[in-house]
Amino acid sequence: MILISSPIKLYLLVISLTFAWIGRIEDNKNWREFLKIGSELIHNHNSNIRLHMFEDPTLSEAKERGQFEKLIKQLDLEKHLFLHANVPNDQMAVYFSMIGESGGFLCSTSKVEGAPYSLLEAMSCKCPVLTTDSDGVRSSIIHNKTGKYYTLGDVTEAVKEAKELMTDSQLREKIRKDAFEHVKVNFNPDLYCVNFISMIQSLGLNLSK
């Protein structure tokens, strides 16, 4: 397990295939599943794969952190896992772009997810997304068009979808392109303003006052 602190250091690492995860080390973010998916891919498909986890270590409980470190050792991931603590939001575009260019992707393993801000940011940087079908992501991810889904708890299916993202270059590039266009068309600030004004007007409120 290696701690990373700057995009420059990450640049030296994305020569290898890079898979990323963002969240808190807590049950709902389902970090266990990400480690298991990563372990299957590394030990049974490509030993050059590197796992990068972006988190805030101050938000995890001691018990959960202990379980996290124990599973890393059990899955023999210590040399393959890189942790990033409290990366400023304005730097994430650099990371996502590098991950996308490495041939990797962002993996979201959440059991329940609200607004998928990190997924949208990744898509806007042409970093493909593999995710569970967790409520909030449905507005942004269309399977095999703007990203990929796998069934929560099904590591075998997640590995299958991940391998397809790695090996099917035509599908991968199509997903990267379509996801970028989807964000640009459906999630731009001007559109949000228009929809917000329409909602206010539908409530009978007068914006001119």
Side-chain angles (χ1 to χ4, degrees), residues 26-160:
E26 63 166 13
D27 183 65
N28 181 58
K29 291 299 182 181
N30 204 12
W31 54 267
R32 293 174 181 83
E33 196 150 285
F34 175 73
L35 293 181
K36 290 176 182 177
I37 294 167
S39 177
E40 285 292 320
L41 289 167
I42 289 168
H43 299 308
N44 297 316
H45 180 69
N46 186 340
S47 61
N48 290 321
I49 290 170
R50 298 294 179 261
L51 308 178
H52 290 260
M53 299 183 76
F54 297 80
E55 54 130 4
D56 183 346
T58 66
L59 297 178
S60 61
E61 296 182 359
K63 181 180 178 181
E64 195 92 3
R65 174 67 55 173
Q67 293 173 349
F68 173 63
E69 294 174 355
K70 182 179 179 181
L71 187 57
I72 290 169
K73 292 180 181 178
Q74 289 177 345
L75 296 174
D76 192 23
L77 291 174
E78 292 172 289
K79 295 181 180 179
H80 303 274
L81 177 63
F82 300 83
L83 297 181
H84 305 261
N86 301 313
V87 175
N89 184 258
D90 61 2
Q91 292 182 13
M92 286 307 299
V94 177
Y95 287 91
F96 284 136
S97 296
M98 290 179 179
I99 293 162
E101 290 302 316
S102 81
F105 56 86
L106 174 66
C107 184
S108 175
T109 53
S110 296
K111 295 180 178 180
V112 178
E113 190 63 75
Y117 297 120
S118 61
L119 273 61
L120 290 171
E121 188 170 3
M123 293 161 66
S124 71
C125 297
K126 295 188 176 180
C127 174
V129 172
L130 171 65
T131 180
T132 53
D133 186 1
S134 53
D135 300 323
V137 304
R138 293 171 191 164
S139 62
S140 54
I141 301 298
I142 302 167
H143 186 63
N144 280 342
K145 181 171 175 61
T146 62
K148 273 184 170 293
Y149 284 116
Y150 80 92
T151 304
L152 178 67
D154 193 335
V155 173
T156 300
E157 182 185 358
V159 168
K160 173 181 173 293

